Amino acid sequence: MNKRIGILGLMLMALLPLSAQNAERGLKECIRMGIERNLSLKNARIGIEAGQTTVSQARANLLPQVNGTLQAGDYLKRPVNVTTSTLLTADFPDNPTWGKVRTMPLTTQGAIQVGLPLYNATIYAAIDAAKVVENLNRTNYEKARLDLAVQIAQVYFMAQATLENRYLLDENIERMDSLCRITRALYEQGVVLEIDYTRVDINHKNLAAQRDQVVMLYGQQMNLMRFLLNLDAAEPIDVVRMPQDITKLPVGGLNKQLPELQLVDQKLTLLDRQIRQTRAGYLPSLTLAGQLGYMGFQESLGNFFGSKSNWFGNAYVGLNVSIPLFDANKRRLQIRQYRHQQEQTRNSRLLQHAQLQEQYDNAVLQIAQTERMFQTQRENLRQSTDVYGVTEIKYKEGVSSMTELLQDEMRLREAQGNLVTAHYQFNKSQVDLLRLSGNLDDFIDE
C-alpha cells in the first residue's frame, strides 16, 4: 500500500512541472490569442460587417421599389362635382347652364405601385460614400489590432521583469539564509555581536516580504493578461522567463501607411464623397413608375359583397422626372461646411504625421539609450557579484565587518534590479519602434 502511494506521489510530482510548463505562453502566442479572442477587437470586426451592410443598403436603392396600397373611405357628406352644359349638352353655348354630379359616398381602392430609378446621381454618390465608410471601419480595426498587440507586449514584458525579480529574490533569500546560518554560528561562538545577527535577520525578513509583494504583483499582471486575451479566471497562464541577453531587430524609417495616417486620408476622401453627394442633389433624377389597381364605388357597405359590382380598373406606366429648382442655398452652405472640415482634416494630417515622426525619433533614441544602459548594468552586476564574493570571504575570515557585507549585498541586489529594468525598457522601446516602422506584423508572424 505504501509502495503504491509512493508511486502515485512520484507521478503527481512529475505532472506538476509539466502542467506549469504548459501554462507558459510566448509573447507571439499571446498576441495571436488576443487578436482572436479580445472582446474590444470583436466589436471592431462587427464594425467592418456593419460597414459592408451600409454599402449593401445604399446599393439597394437602385433596385425596384414595390408598394401595395389599400384605402377605404366613407364620405359623411357626399361630395359633388359641378360642371357646365358645355360638357353635358351643347358645345360652347352663349349662356351655359350649371349642373351637379353627386358621387358615391363609399369608395375603396387598391393598387400595386412600382418605381425603378433609371438615373439618380445622389444614390451613386451615396454608394461611394458608404464604401469609404467601410474602409474607415477596416482601418479602425487595423489600428485597434496593432494597439492591442502593443498593449499585450507591454504587459508581457512587465510580467517577465516581475517574474525575473521573483527568481532573483529567491536566490537572494537563499543566500541570506546561508548568511544567517553562518552569522548565527559565529555569534554562538562569540566571534560576532548579537547586533550583527539581528541585522542579517532583518534583511532576511525584508527580502521575504518583498518576494510576497512581487508574487502578488505578478498575479495581478496575469489577471490583466487574462482580460486582454479573454481567458477564464481559472485558466493558468505564465510568461516565459526573460532571456539573458537582448536581441535587436532591424527596423526601417517611419511607415507612411500607418493606420493613424490612413484614417485621416480616408476622412478626407469621405468629405470629398459627401460633397459629391450634395452636388448630385442639383441634378435631375429619372424614375420609371407604374401602377396597377382597382377602385370601387357603392351607395352602401352591403353592396360591396353583393352581385352588383361597381369596380373600375386603372393601370399606367410612365417616367417621372424630378428637377430641383431652388433649395434656399441649403446645398451650397452644406458644401461650404464640408470645405471647412476638409481644411481642418488636412491640418490634422500634417499634425498627425509630425507627432508620429517625433515618436519615431524618440523611440530610436530610447532604444539606443536602453541598449547602452543594459550593457552598463550587466557590467555593474558582474562587478557587484565579484565584490560581494570577496567581501563574503573576508567576512568569514573575520577581516570585513557585517556592515560592509550587507552594503555589498544591497549593491548586488540593486544591480540585479537595474539590469532587469534596463532589459524591460529595451523590450518596450523595441515594440514601440516596430509599431511605428510598420514591422510589428512581421514580428508577430515569425
Side-chain angles (χ1 to χ4, degrees):
M1 184 67 180
N2 293 333
K3 184 177 181 181
R4 291 181 180 179
I5 295 177
I7 295 175
L8 181 60
L10 291 175
M11 293 176 62
L12 291 174
M13 293 177 62
L15 289 175
L16 286 175
L18 182 61
S19 61
Q21 183 179 2
N22 291 337
E24 289 186 355
R25 299 186 185 275
L27 173 59
K28 297 175 184 178
E29 182 183 0
C30 288
I31 293 177
R32 294 191 189 102
M33 289 180 61
I35 292 174
E36 293 175 0
R37 303 165 62 102
N38 185 265
L39 295 178
S40 298
L41 212 56
K42 285 184 178 180
N43 284 337
R45 281 194 287 268
I46 294 174
I48 295 177
E49 297 175 359
Q52 295 172 346
T53 303
T54 303
V55 175
S56 300
Q57 184 179 4
R59 286 173 174 168
N61 292 325
L62 295 174
L63 300 176
Q65 305 293 321
V66 181
N67 297 314
T69 62
L70 181 62
Q71 182 179 358
D74 183 2
Y75 292 100
L76 301 178
K77 188 173 182 180
R78 206 181 274 193
V80 175
N81 293 328
V82 181
T83 62
T84 65
S85 59
T86 303
L87 298 178
L88 297 176
T89 55
D91 291 335
F92 307 108
D94 294 333
N95 251 332
T97 60
W98 295 90
K100 298 180 180 179
V101 178
R102 192 181 298 273
T103 63
M104 298 290 184
L106 299 176
T107 61
T108 303
Q109 59 179 350
I112 295 178
Q113 299 173 344
V114 181
L116 175 63
L118 298 180
Y119 176 76
N120 192 323
T122 303
I123 296 178
Y124 296 118
I127 294 174
D128 293 338
K131 291 179 180 178
V132 177
V133 172
E134 180 186 4
N135 291 332
L136 272 170
N137 291 335
R138 293 183 183 277
T139 307
N140 277 323
Y141 168 78
E142 182 65 19
K143 182 178 182 302
R145 186 180 67 85
L146 294 177
D147 290 343
L148 176 64
V150 172
Q151 188 177 5
I152 291 175
Q154 291 176 349
V155 175
Y156 193 92
F157 292 142
M158 192 182 305
Q160 273 189 325
T162 304
L163 182 63
E164 195 65 26
N165 283 326
R166 194 191 76 186
Y167 282 114
L168 291 174
L169 282 171
D170 290 339
E171 296 176 3
N172 293 332
I173 290 175
E174 184 178 356
R175 183 171 59 248
M176 194 61 63
D177 285 338
S178 176
L179 185 59
C180 279
R181 290 192 296 270
I182 295 173
T183 307
R184 184 174 182 82
L186 294 176
Y187 166 69
E188 291 175 350
Q189 296 173 7
V191 179
V192 299
L193 301 176
E194 183 180 1
I195 189 66
D196 292 333
Y197 175 73
T198 303
R199 288 171 179 168
V200 176
D201 187 58
I202 291 174
N203 277 272
H204 181 272
K205 292 178 180 178
N206 289 336
L207 288 176
Q210 291 179 17
R211 188 189 185 282
D212 293 339
Q213 185 175 4
V214 167
V215 170
M216 180 198 67
L217 179 61
Y218 182 75
Q220 292 175 341
Q221 291 166 347
M222 289 300 96
N223 288 335
L224 178 56
M225 184 67 73
R226 289 187 185 92
F227 168 75
L228 294 175
L229 304 186
N230 192 23
L231 299 177
D232 294 334
E235 186 168 351
I237 182 173
D238 284 301
V239 298
V240 179
R241 282 197 64 176
M242 184 178 287
Q244 296 298 320
D245 204 353
I246 58 177
T247 303
K248 192 172 182 179
L249 301 176
V251 294
L254 177 66
N255 186 13
K256 305 300 182 181
Q257 299 298 322
L258 288 174
E260 291 86 345
L261 299 177
Q262 291 185 26
L263 283 174
V264 182
D265 292 338
Q266 289 169 2
K267 288 178 181 178
L268 283 172
T269 304
L270 178 60
L271 287 171
D272 180 70
R273 297 297 186 272
Q274 289 173 332
I275 290 175
R276 293 184 185 181
Q277 185 176 356
T278 305
R279 283 178 174 172
Y282 289 114
L283 301 177
S285 60
L286 180 63
T287 305
L288 176 63
Q291 177 174 309
L292 174 63
Y294 283 88
M295 179 178 292
F297 300 92
Q298 291 294 345
E299 286 283 350
S300 62
L301 184 62
N303 292 336
F304 279 110
F305 306 100
S307 59
K308 187 177 181 181
S309 178
N310 292 322
W311 289 92
F312 304 92
N314 62 83
Y316 75 87
V317 176
L319 294 175
N320 293 339
V321 180
S322 177
I323 304 175
L325 298 179
F326 180 67
D327 65 347
N329 293 328
K330 180 179 178 180
R331 294 185 181 89
R332 184 173 64 85
L333 295 176
Q334 183 65 58
I335 291 174
R336 182 185 299 178
Q337 187 68 27
Y338 286 142
R339 294 294 187 193
H340 295 325
Q341 294 178 14
Q342 277 185 327
E343 190 64 25
Q344 289 178 334
T345 307
R346 290 191 186 96
N347 291 334
S348 298
R349 214 273 185 192
L350 295 175
L351 178 62
Q352 183 72 64
H353 183 272
Q355 290 175 342
L356 291 173
Q357 186 65 54
E358 179 192 12
Q359 293 175 12
Y360 177 83
D361 295 338
N362 290 338
V364 172
L365 296 176
Q366 180 70 21
I367 197 170
Q369 171 64 21
T370 53
E371 184 180 10
R372 290 192 296 269
M373 184 62 67
F374 177 82
Q375 302 298 340
T376 301
Q377 295 301 331
R378 185 163 61 178
E379 180 63 21
N380 289 343
L381 177 60
R382 185 189 65 80
Q383 293 177 350
S384 298
T385 303
D386 294 340
V387 169
Y388 176 80
V390 172
T391 306
E392 185 181 18
I393 294 175
K394 290 182 177 180
Y395 174 75
K396 292 177 180 178
E397 295 174 351
V399 179
S400 296
S401 65
M402 173 60 67
T403 302
E404 293 176 336
L405 181 62
L406 292 179
Q407 287 178 347
D408 289 342
E409 195 275 338
M410 183 178 63
R411 294 190 183 98
L412 174 60
R413 285 190 280 114
E414 183 179 356
Q416 290 173 341
N418 290 338
L419 180 62
V420 172
T421 302
H423 200 162
Y424 162 71
Q425 292 292 343
F426 175 84
N427 290 336
K428 181 177 178 295
S429 301
Q430 181 153 253
V431 168
D432 293 336
L433 195 59
L434 289 171
R435 166 78 166 86
L436 293 170
S437 62
N439 296 318
L440 188 57
D441 280 335
D442 296 336
F443 169 73
I444 297 173
D445 296 334
E446 284 182 355

